[in-house]
Amino acid sequence: MRIPLNKKSREPLYRQIHQFLRDEIRCKALPADFRLPSSRTLSAGLGVSRITVMNAYAELESEGLVHIQPGSGTYVAPPAAYHSLPAEDGLDVHDWPIWQQELLSRTWLPARREMERLLASTVHPDPISFAGDLVAENLFPADEFRKTINAVLRRDGQQAFGYGNRAGFAPLRETIAHILAGQGIPTSPDHVLITSGSQQALSLVAQVLVQAGGSVLVESPTYIGAIDLFRSLNVRLMGVPVDEEGMRIEAVEEALKRNKPRLIYTIPAFHNPTGVCMAADRRRRLINLASRYNVPILEDDCFGDLRYDGRALPALKALDPNGCVIYVNTFSKMLMPGLRVGYLVASGPLYDRLLSCKYTCDLATSNLIQRALEAYISVGRYQAHLRRACGAYRKRRDAMVAALDAHMPEGVRWRVPKGGLCLWLRLPDGVSAIDLLPEASEEGVVYAPGSFYFPAERPESFMRLNFAPHTPERTEEGIRRLARALERYLSRRKAEEEPQRLHMGVTV
Ligand SMILES: Cc1ncc(COP(=O)(O)O)c(C=O)c1O
């Protein structure tokens, strides 16, 4: 068995083996009941110690991915064992009809659900969660929106309850085209397609442009919902590293030369999860490359208007002379996610294909909500809300940064995002955000472990902290708890390492 190991990496070898096998088992490359090589054979083949392999197998066993039969070997467990179903009416998996059981062998666990399961175990009575993709519910303009809906009902009556135009309510598309023109993206309402959230827009584009077995180039790390979406379509993900100026363009070019992807998916403004913005020259170079290699770009501008510092850079779509950018945005982050209104901008034959795909997916996005949204924007309430929300999120971001400055131990690094909802934090060398989680949740704080945002190799030393949902006081308390958990974790690790060092005769 060939397992790519990086012996220079800080990631322990047993964990590299564990992660490789875990991914192979989850994607069914190693089927149920497959007998893994003995620890002796694998360790000899990989040039590592037997204990390293045994540790990796033990991790897999603790996750229910393999079962070890003493004297016989280590076998891949059937999927039902690791997709453990919640007990329903006391039923065991084997009590389900066969067609239900068959589903278990065909399903896969989306990274988002995997993470939710990991986070669900907290038992603290008052946990503070920095883990979600959430905006602040207490900032939602619920009353204003209720009044707008009532006004729309008085104005439009029964018409508001029909399916409406399947491309979206025409005045809303006009309004969006107008807003985009103000941001340097000239477009026509006929090129705007209203979708049920931007997640649906991503899904439509992926369905139309990428066939199963094809590949998509993405930032690494990237939005977890995009990873899950592409995986659900059996699409291969080619990750390109991100630095403080966004996607590394030389790596994009190398990837384009090596293997022609069907699509480049990027979040250039306040990238989720790292918060970085793609530099202006990289934006231009990316568009040039996309044109040269004839690959469309899917630009997700989900956080673009949530800017707290500095000046906005032009969207990729605003720099796109040849129409190779498909632009996606949403009212979820800037207004309220429960509206489920997003949109995409595309032209040519693609627009028509996307429209047909939208039609087969859900016929149309809620007509009533689109009408209310259009009315809400037209009277200037949306812009006023956006200013209020940005002011509040800026304070919340600053509170998180101040708390990190005040409480985090040495070796923890982060970058202050100029907008968006999240801060990306790097733990001291060798500390895994997954391993730290039990300690943190005991203290009453949870976060999103960064490894879930990587399309392939999953480095564990990152975490994503969402500062948007909490007041500055609550954020301060949450970060204080997190720092306490980390200090405890580090001193426990040090205490565990000490006897080992002495045992190995290492003097310090
Ligand atoms: C980068 C990114 N794109 C798209 C979405 C989907 O949002 P929605 O479907 O609510 O518009 C999210 C949600 O968190 C996101 O973070």
Side-chain angles (χ1 to χ4, degrees):
M1 180 175 279
R2 292 164 74 94
I3 301 183
L5 291 182
N6 178 357
K7 293 191 176 164
K8 291 196 186 122
S9 162
R10 291 209 180 89
E11 190 81 350
L13 290 171
Y14 86 90
R15 205 184 276 283
Q16 293 184 41
I17 298 172
H18 159 243
Q19 279 174 2
F20 178 87
L21 292 174
R22 182 181 66 182
D23 291 347
E24 293 291 288
I25 294 171
R26 287 206 171 127
C27 73
K28 314 272 182 314
L30 295 176
D33 297 327
F34 177 84
R35 187 168 180 269
L36 294 179
S38 70
S39 54
R40 191 184 304 278
T41 313
L42 190 56
S43 60
L46 297 175
V48 299
S49 74
R50 251 184 99 189
I51 196 82
T52 300
V53 175
M54 283 158 75
N55 281 342
Y57 284 3
E59 288 277 308
L60 293 169
E61 192 186 29
S62 72
E63 292 170 333
L65 291 167
V66 300
H67 50 93
I68 299 175
Q69 283 180 17
S72 167
T74 301
Y75 295 86
V76 173
Y82 54 90
H83 284 173
S84 59
L85 285 175
E88 217 171 277
D89 301 333
L91 283 183
D92 179 78
V93 168
H94 303 288
D95 295 332
W96 291 102
I98 301 288
W99 62 266
Q100 289 264 28
Q101 293 184 35
E102 279 168 0
L103 280 179
L104 292 173
S105 62
R106 278 192 274 132
T107 49
W108 57 288
L109 193 59
R112 193 194 288 274
R113 291 197 55 203
E114 202 185 328
M115 180 159 77
E116 279 168 6
R117 280 187 189 186
L118 195 68
L119 298 177
S121 55
T122 180
V123 287
H124 195 275
D126 178 29
I128 297 176
S129 174
F130 296 125
D133 278 316
L134 308 173
V135 276
E137 281 181 16
N138 63 350
L139 298 180
F140 290 170
D143 266 350
E144 280 183 356
F145 211 79
R146 178 176 48 76
K147 286 183 198 144
T148 312
I149 290 185
N150 286 338
V152 163
L153 286 176
R154 276 195 299 276
R155 186 191 70 190
D156 299 346
Q158 283 152 324
Q159 267 194 346
F161 291 106
Y163 280 121
N165 185 325
R166 63 195 161 108
F169 183 51
L172 178 61
R173 287 188 285 128
E174 273 161 37
T175 304
I176 289 171
H178 183 73
I179 294 176
L180 292 177
Q183 297 172 357
I185 305 176
T187 187
S188 127
D190 294 341
H191 294 159
V192 176
L193 175 62
I194 305 291
T195 54
S196 301
S198 54
Q199 186 72 25
Q200 186 182 51
L202 304 182
S203 170
L204 297 178
V205 174
Q207 285 176 65
V208 168
L209 289 181
V210 196
Q211 280 80 41
S215 54
V216 173
L217 201 142
V218 299
E219 280 135 348
S220 175
T222 188
Y223 166 48
I224 197 169
I227 295 182
D228 284 341
L229 166 68
F230 292 127
R231 289 235 167 98
S232 73
L233 298 171
N234 282 322
V235 164
R236 231 162 40 83
L237 294 171
M238 298 159 63
V240 167
V242 170
D243 62 22
E244 61 281 358
E245 298 202 327
M247 214 177 207
R248 295 237 317 264
I249 302 296
E250 356 48 89
V252 173
E253 182 154 22
E254 266 169 42
L256 289 172
K257 274 186 199 151
R258 253 200 338 264
N259 187 341
K260 188 174 170 198
R262 305 297 305 206
L263 189 66
I264 300 172
Y265 169 69
T266 174
I267 312 162
F270 315 122
H271 171 253
N272 180 5
T274 63
V276 298
C277 285
M278 194 187 291
D281 68 310
R282 289 199 187 178
R283 292 177 188 232
R284 291 200 172 79
R285 285 168 62 201
L286 182 63
I287 291 183
N288 286 341
L289 279 178
S291 302
R292 186 137 54 87
Y293 286 86
N294 191 32
V295 182
I297 299 176
L298 176 55
E299 175 178 26
D300 184 343
D301 198 20
C302 178
F303 303 104
D305 286 340
L306 293 178
R307 165 174 293 279
Y308 318 132
D309 305 318
R311 290 198 24 228
L313 291 171
L316 296 174
K317 185 74 188 157
L319 304 169
D320 172 31
N322 304 325
C324 70
V325 178
I326 306 145
Y327 177 85
V328 166
N329 208 329
T330 177
F331 290 95
S332 288
K333 310 298 177 189
M334 271 71 100
L335 192 53
M336 298 183 279
L339 299 175
R340 305 309 302 132
V341 181
Y343 59 92
L344 60 82
V345 179
S347 51
L350 174 65
Y351 184 88
D352 199 54
R353 295 291 308 277
L354 291 168
L355 183 58
S356 306
C357 193
K358 161 79 182 163
Y359 191 61
T360 54
C361 276
D362 68 351
L363 299 183
T365 297
S366 163
N367 190 3
L368 172 62
I369 294 295
Q370 289 186 66
R371 284 168 189 257
L373 181 57
E374 188 274 328
Y376 187 83
I377 300 172
S378 305
V379 295
R381 287 191 170 142
Y382 172 65
Q383 302 299 346
H385 168 77
L386 193 55
R387 277 194 297 278
R388 260 196 322 271
C390 280
Y393 293 147
R394 179 187 294 115
K395 284 198 185 118
R396 290 171 182 210
R397 177 207 58 183
D398 291 346
M400 179 169 279
V401 172
L404 289 168
D405 281 337
H407 302 298
M408 276 298 153
E410 223 174 276
V412 180
R413 279 165 288 162
W414 60 90
R415 197 179 290 122
V416 181
K418 292 188 171 149
L421 305 175
C422 300
L423 186 144
W424 187 241
L425 180 145
R426 184 177 195 144
L427 290 163
D429 290 346
V431 179
S432 149
I434 303 249
D435 291 350
L436 175 65
L437 203 54
E439 208 98 41
S441 93
E442 208 178 300
E443 282 287 347
V445 62
V446 291
Y447 49 80
S451 49
F452 290 100
Y453 297 85
F454 287 87
E457 258 179 71
R458 288 176 149 196
E460 292 195 356
S461 54
F462 297 95
M463 66 171 71
R464 197 195 71 169
L465 299 169
N466 177 355
F467 50 77
H470 304 297
T471 59
E473 297 71 34
R474 194 100 174 120
T475 291
E476 150 85 21
E477 171 58 21
I479 296 298
R480 198 193 289 268
R481 292 179 187 181
L482 184 58
R484 241 182 353 240
L486 181 56
E487 302 268 18
R488 250 184 30 207
Y489 175 92
L490 290 172
S491 39
R492 189 165 45 78
R493 206 178 62 163
K494 197 164 166 214
E496 279 166 10
E497 278 168 8
E498 214 54 43
Q500 271 183 26
R501 277 203 204 136
L502 291 177
H503 179 71
M504 289 160 69
V506 178
T507 48
V508 276

